[in-house]
Amino acid sequence: KAMAGFALAVLLCGSSTYAAGFVNGGLASRLRVRPVERRDLQNGRAEGLVAYTSLRSARTRLGALSAADLGHEGGSRQDSGLSNPGSTLCWSLVGLTFAGASLGTRRRQVNVLAGWRARGIRRFKWKYGGQGAPKTPEWLTKSREKGEKSAGERDIPMWLTLQKWESFTAPNRARSVRWWLQAHDQNGNPAFDKKEKYSIQEAVDKIVSMEERAPLRFDPTMEVMMVMNLNQKYPDQQVRCAISLPHGTGKKVRVAVFCPVDEEEEVMALGAYKCGKKLQDEIEQEIIDFDVLLAKPQMMPRLAKLGKILGPRRLMPSPKSGTVLTDYAKGIKDFSGGVIEMRTSRKSLINTVFGKVSFGREKLVENLTALLQGLVDKAPAGAKADLFRQVTISSTMSPAVKILNSELPRVPVKA
């Protein structure tokens, strides 16, 4: 009886310790523990692996003991390594207790090590060495003359010295020369404060100035990232609409039309990229090379069979987005021009384009203002007055600039 009571106490202690370790570590850490252990094992640290092995061996020994007690063939008490089954149970539970405590500690460590600092810097691996602290570029350690170019054919500014480079944060030390030129002015001072917010005019001006200091070989696209004050769990807080930009997006949009065979010639004459039987066959083969799909209401039952292919790609026509229509000519003209389809993601985010850098500051401001106002005008029924939580703009491969909340339009309050 004394032995049974001791075994029961040890069992309760082991199970509670293991459960505490599981709860403290969390399910996400439990799923991440194996990759981190592999990395630690390569560096000569295998504490987590030892804990995992101890737990597995304890479970194996308990399994062997259970087979012996149940009288299965080949499961003798000698297989467990001890002649006394009570002693085997006792020591197995003690091992389970320590394994649970060790694994719980390890899970807490995994939670701490799961951030970007543990993963290291992976930008420009071929130049800065991949993970760990970025390596100092060779041209920073040598004397150089004005006009010297980088590997990307960029003029290395004279203000970019070794001392200046060391003052950057670790992620920014692993950037390219072009990024440094964009993020700083001609004197090496920061071109903007990433913690500050600016008016729409100021933000657009800063992005365009970045491209003027370090231009690309192509016309960069202006992008806007919006965090919406919506909850996607509720249907009346989901955004799906079409907004027309006064100066277009500067991008050629391929508009496909799902129509019957007898309308193919008419649709192609209106400027459609693809339509009819050929379009249907390619969709069935999952060959998707168009940007927008239009259809009339009477074609939707036939198109529903392809919903499994078009739905995940967000190409399924919908009346809310204006892609289910009755006038082919107007639809093709609108979507080939400045009409863009807006839809929130699962996390209430909207990412879209609003022009090209070559448009100039004035047209970009007008496009962005029309886009924000269009979202407010077509806000869902359950939207609050503050429709936007945060709005950030950037261009292709440039730093991002935040917009002042006071510059963002508000949804009118219903009386």
Side-chain angles (χ1 to χ4, degrees):
K1 291 182 179 179
M3 180 61 70
F6 176 74
L8 181 59
V10 174
L11 176 61
L12 293 175
C13 179
S15 60
S16 60
T17 306
Y18 182 76
F22 182 84
V23 172
N24 290 335
L27 182 58
S29 299
R30 180 179 176 86
L31 297 175
R32 288 197 298 264
V33 68
R34 297 304 296 274
V36 176
E37 288 170 355
R38 288 196 205 100
R39 183 165 64 247
D40 290 345
L41 188 60
Q42 294 174 358
N43 297 332
R45 302 191 300 270
E47 299 89 343
L49 185 61
V50 171
Y52 178 78
T53 307
S54 301
L55 177 60
R56 185 172 57 182
S57 62
R59 289 175 176 171
T60 303
R61 296 174 69 181
L62 282 173
L65 177 62
S66 299
D69 292 340
L70 292 174
H72 293 294
E73 295 182 1
S76 61
R77 294 180 179 178
Q78 286 76 12
D79 294 338
S80 63
L82 296 172
S83 58
N84 189 348
S87 177
T88 302
L89 177 62
C90 174
W91 287 109
S92 298
L93 294 176
V94 170
L96 182 61
T97 302
F98 287 107
S102 176
L103 190 57
T105 304
R106 183 59 183 164
R107 288 193 183 106
R108 288 191 292 272
Q109 293 175 357
V110 171
N111 253 353
V112 177
L113 295 175
W116 68 269
R117 297 182 184 276
R119 295 193 295 270
I121 309 301
R122 291 190 174 90
R123 299 185 181 95
F124 299 99
K125 181 178 181 180
W126 64 90
K127 189 181 299 184
Y128 297 100
Q131 295 186 9
K135 297 181 180 179
T136 306
E138 294 182 2
W139 48 267
L140 277 177
T141 59
K142 301 177 181 179
S143 60
R144 66 178 190 274
E145 300 179 356
K146 185 177 182 180
E148 184 175 343
K149 294 185 179 296
S150 65
E153 297 300 323
R154 298 284 179 185
D155 291 334
I156 302 176
M158 297 304 296
W159 56 261
L160 186 56
T161 61
L162 179 60
Q163 182 179 4
K164 182 72 173 180
W165 182 82
E166 290 176 345
S167 66
F168 297 153
T169 60
N172 289 343
R173 289 202 302 270
R175 301 283 190 175
S176 65
V177 174
R178 179 180 180 271
W179 190 92
W180 291 325
L181 289 171
Q182 287 184 321
H184 300 80
D185 59 19
Q186 297 178 353
N187 299 322
N189 300 318
F192 70 101
D193 187 350
K194 66 178 183 179
K195 296 182 180 179
E196 294 293 330
K197 296 184 178 181
Y198 302 89
S199 66
I200 294 179
Q201 183 71 46
E202 291 175 336
V204 170
D205 180 69
K206 290 183 180 297
I207 297 297
V208 175
S209 298
M210 292 179 189
E211 295 298 335
E212 292 174 349
R213 287 193 296 270
L216 286 171
R217 298 177 182 176
F218 57 90
D219 191 6
T221 300
M222 294 292 292
E223 304 173 0
V224 56
M225 292 72 69
M226 296 167 281
V227 182
M228 311 301 291
N229 189 21
L230 300 171
N231 190 339
Q232 296 306 294
K233 295 181 180 179
Y234 305 103
D236 62 344
Q237 296 190 34
Q238 298 175 3
V239 174
R240 187 170 186 182
C241 61
I243 297 176
S244 177
L245 301 182
H247 304 289
T249 62
K251 179 182 177 182
K252 185 178 180 181
V253 181
R254 297 167 296 182
V255 180
V257 179
F258 193 83
C259 63
V261 178
D262 57 345
E263 295 181 354
E264 288 185 9
E265 293 184 5
E266 176 190 355
V267 170
M268 293 301 296
L270 293 173
Y273 173 71
K274 195 173 294 184
C275 67
K277 178 64 175 175
K278 180 182 178 181
L279 174 64
Q280 180 177 352
D281 294 340
E282 290 187 356
I283 295 176
E284 291 175 350
Q285 298 173 15
E286 298 191 19
I287 301 176
I288 309 295
D289 59 349
F290 53 87
D291 302 310
V292 179
L293 181 61
L294 306 180
K296 287 186 176 181
Q298 56 266 31
M299 296 298 296
M300 292 305 295
R302 292 174 55 183
L303 192 58
K305 300 177 181 178
L306 304 175
K308 294 182 179 180
I309 300 175
L310 298 173
R313 294 173 171 83
R314 296 196 168 189
L315 291 173
M316 192 69 179
S318 169
K320 293 182 179 180
S321 60
T323 49
V324 176
L325 39 73
T326 56
D327 189 352
Y328 286 141
K330 184 177 183 303
I332 294 174
K333 181 181 179 180
D334 290 344
F335 282 95
S336 298
V339 175
I340 55 177
E341 183 179 355
M342 311 294 290
R343 182 187 296 186
T344 46
S345 66
R346 294 181 180 178
K347 296 185 178 180
S348 298
L349 305 176
I350 298 179
N351 296 341
T352 188
V353 302
F354 64 97
K356 297 281 188 178
V357 173
S358 61
F359 284 12
R361 293 170 172 80
E362 184 178 351
K363 290 184 178 180
L364 289 173
V365 170
E366 292 176 0
N367 269 4
L368 181 57
T369 304
L371 189 151
L372 297 175
Q373 186 61 47
L375 281 173
V376 169
D377 294 340
K378 299 182 179 181
K384 301 178 181 178
D386 295 324
L387 181 62
F388 307 96
R389 288 187 177 178
Q390 180 174 298
V391 177
T392 309
I393 66 171
S394 66
S395 65
T396 305
M397 296 185 293
S398 81
V401 180
K402 298 177 182 178
I403 304 294
L404 279 170
N405 288 353
S406 59
E407 290 274 310
L408 306 176
R410 293 168 55 88
V411 178
V413 179
K414 296 180 181 180

